[in-house]
Amino acid sequence: MEILGRISSWAGKYFALIIVVFSIIAFMMPDTFIGFGSYVTILLGVVMFGMGLTLKAADFKLVLTKPIPVLIGLGAQFIIMPTAAFLIAYLLKLPAEIAAGLVLLGSVPGGTASNVMVYLAKGNVPLSITMTSVSTLLAPVMTPLLLLIFAGEWMPIDPVSMFMSIFQVIIIPILLGLLVNKYLPRVTEKGVTLLPLISIVAITIIVMAVVAGNRDNIATAGVLVFVSVMLHNAFGLLLGYYAAKLFKLPVQDQRAVSIETGMQNSGLGVALASVHFTPLVALPSAFASAWQLITGTVLASRWGKKNARSDEGQDIEGQQIDSREDKLSSASRG
């Protein structure tokens, strides 16, 4: 178990590099990995089950005790990201499927990788965890609604069918994880060290399946997709930061909102594209899986070297990380 824990820690540290390397392998040998496409939703369900195992009632405490930062963060998440995706797609005149895929990426909730990045950036970790948890639970309603508003002109959207898909692949596994965590705590304690490794393997396979299934599309439109994803991520990080700054939130909150806004649950984007659209629609989310980890790490490293004091010069409340630091290593989930 100790060896697996070390492997898990190493994989979490180099997750972005792992995705890039195996994506290249999948591009070079697509026939070997294209069959994994049929397991995308199952793999994402496993990742979300792992998220449920790490959730606690305390993760939602801030919604009641300090709702303003949470609401500002959620507003940034569900307003800035889909709007930015729509504008980028429109201005760059992206092909319909890539445009819809970028809007899909902007409409999914925040990814749990953001929790680790906020911790490294000396941001407000409880706020980050709350934003991830709440946005994920809102996803069955918000993601189909946002897609209907912003992507309807490029692709036909069935919000009811998408609601059911998100509920099945996100909400049910999370609820099962919560139940296991509550009634079988010893099982959770033993398995939590392996969660990062399981999540990394699952997300890597998902990305490999998308790359393998889109080899020709990547060869012709890869640069365009990468540029659009890069711009989308940059706008999310930048505008998320200034949205929090506009409302005069403390520095730690600004960092949390910025990272939470810019880092999406790309695995969910890939899964929804695979079920409801075409393989090409999944490309922006697949590219984002690696890119947002790279930018998140760079930004967190830069902020982490600065003095992370709030505007009032006080440490933020609830910044104790205790054993959840290990659980947050499941950054790889998304």
Side-chain angles (χ1 to χ4, degrees):
M1 185 66 73
E2 183 179 349
I3 294 176
L4 289 175
R6 290 180 180 178
I7 294 174
S8 182
S9 178
W10 178 88
K13 185 177 181 180
Y14 296 102
F15 183 35
L17 179 61
I18 289 171
I19 287 186
V20 171
V21 170
F22 280 92
S23 294
I24 293 173
I25 294 173
F27 182 81
M28 296 175 65
M29 298 185 294
D31 293 339
T32 305
F33 303 101
I34 196 170
F36 289 133
S38 58
Y39 300 102
V40 167
T41 54
I42 296 175
L43 290 169
L44 183 61
V46 171
V47 174
M48 291 299 104
F49 174 76
M51 179 182 178
L53 287 177
T54 65
L55 286 179
K56 296 180 180 179
D59 294 338
F60 303 93
K61 183 180 178 181
L62 285 182
V63 178
L64 299 176
T65 59
K66 291 186 176 181
I68 299 302
V70 178
L71 292 174
I72 292 171
L74 291 174
Q77 172 74 57
F78 287 123
I79 294 174
I80 290 174
M81 295 310 278
T83 303
F86 176 82
L87 292 175
I88 291 169
Y90 182 79
L91 293 174
L92 294 183
K93 299 181 180 179
L94 298 179
E97 290 173 299
I98 296 178
L102 189 65
V103 172
L104 173 59
L105 174 63
S107 302
V108 295
T112 52
S114 58
N115 303 154
V116 175
M117 299 305 173
V118 171
Y119 170 72
L120 296 176
K122 296 181 181 178
N124 188 335
V125 177
L127 175 60
S128 174
I129 294 171
T130 301
M131 282 184 59
T132 300
S133 304
V134 175
S135 67
T136 299
L137 294 180
L138 291 174
V141 173
M142 293 304 299
T143 299
L145 177 62
L146 292 171
L147 273 173
L148 191 63
I149 294 172
F150 290 100
E153 67 176 87
W154 290 302
M155 301 282 288
I157 309 295
D158 184 348
V160 176
S161 177
M162 190 167 291
F163 170 89
M164 294 305 300
S165 291
I166 299 175
F167 190 84
Q168 292 169 3
V169 79
I170 296 288
I171 304 301
I172 291 178
I174 286 177
L175 291 177
L176 290 175
L178 284 168
L179 290 174
V180 171
N181 188 24
K182 181 177 178 61
Y183 294 106
L184 299 171
R186 292 184 180 180
V187 174
T188 302
E189 289 176 6
K190 291 181 179 179
V192 74
T193 56
L194 297 179
L195 286 179
L197 183 60
I198 293 172
S199 298
I200 289 167
V201 171
I203 295 296
T204 302
I205 293 175
I206 289 173
V207 174
M208 290 175 74
V210 174
V211 171
N214 283 280
R215 180 180 180 180
D216 294 338
N217 292 324
I218 292 173
T220 57
V223 174
L224 188 61
V225 175
F226 177 74
V227 170
S228 62
V229 168
M230 181 181 67
L231 289 173
H232 186 243
N233 175 248
F235 278 123
L237 294 171
L238 184 66
L239 296 179
Y241 178 83
Y242 280 104
K245 192 177 183 68
L246 178 66
F247 286 95
K248 299 181 179 180
L249 296 184
V251 173
Q252 295 94 335
D253 290 8
Q254 293 172 21
R255 296 176 181 182
V257 172
S258 171
I259 293 174
E260 278 292 324
T261 304
M263 299 187 69
Q264 304 293 91
N265 189 335
S266 54
L268 177 58
V270 170
L272 292 176
S274 301
V275 173
H276 296 278
F277 304 110
T278 66
L280 186 56
V281 177
L283 266 189
S285 292
F287 275 52
S289 295
W291 180 249
Q292 64 188 13
L293 286 172
I294 295 171
T295 57
T297 301
V298 171
L299 186 60
S301 176
R302 180 179 178 183
W303 275 341
K305 293 177 181 178
K306 294 183 177 181
N307 184 15
R309 291 186 177 276
S310 66
D311 293 336
E312 294 76 23
Q314 299 176 344
D315 293 330
I316 67 168
E317 254 180 279
Q319 193 73 351
Q320 295 88 356
I321 306 301
D322 60 33
S323 61
R324 282 192 61 85
E325 178 180 348
D326 293 328
K327 296 181 182 180
L328 289 179
S329 296
S330 39
S332 349
R333 286 182 253 157

Coordinates of all heavy atoms in Angstrom, one line a residue, residues 2 4 31 158 197 199 213 232 241 261 308 312 316 334:
E2 N 2.0 1.2 0.7 CA 2.9 2.4 0.8 C 3.5 2.7 -0.6 O 3.6 3.8 -1.0 CB 4.0 2.1 1.8 CG 4.9 3.3 2.0 CD 6.0 3.0 3.0 OE1 5.9 2.0 3.8 OE2 6.9 3.8 3.1
L4 N 2.1 1.9 -3.5 CA 1.1 2.4 -4.3 C 0.8 3.9 -4.0 O 0.5 4.7 -4.9 CB -0.2 1.6 -4.2 CG -0.2 0.2 -4.8 CD1 -1.5 -0.5 -4.4 CD2 0.0 0.3 -6.3
D31 N -5.6 2.8 -33.2 CA -6.3 1.5 -33.2 C -6.3 0.8 -31.9 O -7.2 0.1 -31.5 CB -5.8 0.6 -34.3 CG -6.1 1.2 -35.7 OD1 -7.0 2.0 -35.8 OD2 -5.4 0.8 -36.7
D158 N -30.5 18.5 -26.4 CA -31.7 17.9 -25.7 C -31.4 18.0 -24.2 O -30.7 17.2 -23.6 CB -31.7 16.4 -26.1 CG -32.9 15.7 -25.5 OD1 -33.6 16.3 -24.6 OD2 -33.2 14.6 -25.9
L197 N -4.4 8.0 -7.8 CA -3.9 7.1 -8.9 C -5.1 6.6 -9.8 O -5.0 6.6 -11.0 CB -3.1 5.9 -8.3 CG -2.5 5.0 -9.3 CD1 -1.5 5.7 -10.2 CD2 -1.8 3.8 -8.6
S199 N -8.0 8.0 -10.2 CA -8.5 9.1 -11.0 C -7.6 9.5 -12.2 O -8.1 9.8 -13.3 CB -8.6 10.4 -10.1 OG -9.5 10.1 -9.0
G213 N -9.8 8.6 -31.3 CA -10.9 8.7 -32.1 C -11.0 9.9 -33.0 O -11.8 10.0 -33.9
H232 N -9.6 30.4 -23.7 CA -10.7 30.2 -22.8 C -10.2 30.1 -21.3 O -10.8 30.7 -20.4 CB -11.5 28.9 -23.2 CG -12.7 28.7 -22.4 ND1 -12.9 27.6 -21.6 CD2 -13.9 29.4 -22.3 CE1 -14.1 27.6 -21.0 NE2 -14.7 28.7 -21.4
Y241 N -10.5 36.2 -11.3 CA -9.7 36.9 -10.3 C -10.3 38.3 -10.1 O -10.5 38.8 -9.0 CB -8.2 37.0 -10.7 CG -7.4 37.8 -9.8 CD1 -6.8 37.2 -8.7 CD2 -7.1 39.1 -10.1 CE1 -6.0 37.9 -7.8 CE2 -6.3 39.9 -9.2 CZ -5.7 39.3 -8.1 OH -5.0 40.0 -7.2
T261 N -12.7 29.2 -11.3 CA -13.3 29.6 -12.6 C -12.6 29.1 -13.8 O -13.2 28.7 -14.8 CB -13.4 31.2 -12.7 OG1 -14.1 31.7 -11.5 CG2 -14.2 31.6 -13.9
A308 N 0.5 35.4 1.4 CA -0.9 35.2 1.2 C -1.7 35.7 2.4 O -2.3 35.0 3.1 CB -1.2 33.8 0.9
E312 N -7.3 42.5 5.1 CA -7.3 43.0 6.4 C -6.1 42.6 7.2 O -6.0 42.9 8.4 CB -8.6 42.5 7.2 CG -9.9 43.1 6.6 CD -10.3 42.4 5.3 OE1 -9.8 41.2 5.1 OE2 -11.0 43.0 4.6
I316 N -7.2 33.6 6.8 CA -8.6 33.3 6.6 C -9.0 32.3 7.6 O -8.3 31.5 8.1 CB -8.8 32.8 5.2 CG1 -8.1 31.5 5.0 CG2 -8.3 33.8 4.1 CD1 -8.5 30.8 3.7
G334 N -10.0 15.9 -12.4 CA -10.6 16.7 -13.4 C -10.5 17.8 -13.9 O -11.1 18.2 -14.8

